[in-house]
Amino acid sequence: MGYYIEVERGVKLYVEDIGQGVPVLMVHGWPLDHRMYEYQAALLPAYGYRCIQVDLRGFGKSDRPWHGYDYDRLADDVLAVMQALQLRQVRLIGFSMGGAVVTRYMSRHRGFGVTQLILIGAATPRFTQTSNFPYGMPASEVDKLIQQAYSDRPQLVTSFGELLFATPVSQSLRDWVRDQGFAASVHSMACTLYSLRDSELRPDLPCIHVPTWILHGKLDRVCPFPLAVQTQKGIAGSRLIPFERSGHGVFYEARPEFNSTLLSILSPSHN
């Protein structure tokens, strides 16, 4: 079932809500939308989970306002969805930029309603390098992506799709990923690239006090694996699960192993 939730006056987010049972709230990455979780949403309801997939503002079917693409506002949008649906005991999942958004949610809103956090290929604790953080992408490379968003967005989306996977996938799958990127607005894509470039999440990590799992492909070319190591170090008691032969798109590229791992993490024994 799909519907819209107003997160602030005049701004509505699209939500896909499937199944009944324990709520699993899933936040997508840049520049994708809720459809990236297709192969998880087709599985989890059979095991007693309610899959709630949200399109962030500016992406997928959600509204495309001019403002609100910093992590604070995006985290506030997640809170608005939680409150509108009266969700409790939530398993919160974030992929890539979505991992950064849910990390900010956990610190900014003190983990309201969340009993478990799962970060997948997350853009944490920083997406870009600094003088005291040698991991991630050079900020200058993100500047190039921003310029390309405004000059040749179709090529930007296509190039990102080529970086997503470390092993061969079908052209049809690449087209499917590209179509998700095309559903986003150019403005939202560019503004969230600024957020990816500039946001600092290292202070957020110690604020996370729920069981946390970090799932990350060892061959990730978008959010390199050392980011996962640094994230694990920053979240007390968190567990890092590497996928040896997968790139950034671990949710598809290592689908059988990933889905099995996800079901195991979600099981009551881990909460």
Side-chain angles (χ1 to χ4, degrees):
M1 176 173 66
Y3 48 81
Y4 286 88
I5 292 175
E6 189 170 54
V7 294
E8 67 171 321
R9 187 173 180 179
V11 179
K12 295 181 179 180
L13 302 191
Y14 179 78
V15 173
E16 192 80 18
D17 195 342
I18 305 170
Q20 296 179 335
V22 177
V24 180
L25 180 58
M26 313 170 91
V27 181
H28 63 83
W30 183 98
L32 308 177
D33 58 43
H34 76 277
R35 289 174 289 173
M36 63 156 283
Y37 290 113
E38 178 172 310
Y39 294 98
Q40 289 70 52
L43 172 73
L44 295 182
Y47 291 85
Y49 297 101
R50 176 186 176 189
C51 286
I52 303 159
Q53 307 148 261
V54 58
D55 283 350
L56 296 171
R57 62 173 64 204
F59 296 85
K61 296 181 179 180
S62 290
D63 287 347
R64 305 177 177 193
W66 189 252
H67 63 281
Y69 296 101
D70 61 280
Y71 287 165
D72 284 352
R73 179 63 249 186
L74 295 174
D76 292 350
D77 288 352
V78 173
L79 177 65
V81 171
M82 295 268 288
Q83 292 175 327
L85 298 181
Q86 299 182 351
L87 299 178
R88 299 294 185 272
Q89 305 294 307
V90 174
R91 281 60 163 155
L92 182 59
I93 297 177
F95 168 70
S96 194
M97 184 184 78
V101 171
V102 299
T103 296
R104 176 56 51 85
Y105 174 88
M106 295 300 294
S107 64
R108 183 172 172 83
H109 299 295
R110 301 181 180 180
F112 174 80
V114 177
T115 59
Q116 185 183 60
L117 181 67
I118 302 173
L119 302 175
I120 306 167
T124 57
R126 281 193 63 91
F127 185 62
T128 55
Q129 302 170 9
T130 67
S131 59
N132 64 355
F133 190 80
Y135 316 101
M137 185 179 293
S140 59
E141 291 301 310
V142 182
D143 290 339
K144 293 177 183 178
L145 298 179
I146 293 168
Q147 294 171 3
Q148 192 174 26
Y150 287 117
S151 61
D152 192 350
R153 188 169 73 100
Q155 184 58 54
L156 171 60
V157 172
T158 300
S159 298
F160 175 78
E162 293 170 354
L163 284 176
L164 200 62
F165 305 109
T167 55
V169 298
S170 70
Q171 184 59 48
S172 296
L173 186 84
R174 292 186 183 277
D175 292 344
W176 176 67
V177 170
R178 185 183 60 192
D179 288 345
Q180 291 182 47
F182 287 166
S185 76
V186 61
H187 182 67
S188 62
M189 284 181 60
C191 287
T192 46
L193 281 171
Y194 283 114
S195 297
L196 279 162
R197 185 192 67 186
D198 299 336
S199 296
E200 175 63 73
L201 292 162
R202 281 178 285 181
D204 298 65
L205 301 184
C207 301
I208 297 173
H209 303 295
V210 301
T212 300
W213 276 262
I214 301 161
L215 282 57
H216 213 106
K218 291 290 290 287
L219 305 180
D220 196 324
R221 293 180 290 169
V222 177
C223 295
F225 188 75
L227 294 186
V229 174
Q230 296 303 310
T231 300
Q232 192 275 328
K233 290 180 179 178
I235 303 175
S238 61
R239 303 180 191 181
L240 172 57
I241 301 177
F243 291 80
E244 297 290 339
R245 295 178 295 278
S246 179
H248 194 49
V250 60
F251 59 92
Y252 179 84
E253 195 168 15
R255 186 176 69 255
E257 180 188 0
F258 177 86
N259 284 351
S260 175
T261 300
L262 184 60
L263 283 171
S264 175
I265 291 171
L266 292 172
S267 68
S269 63
H270 283 143
N271 293 276

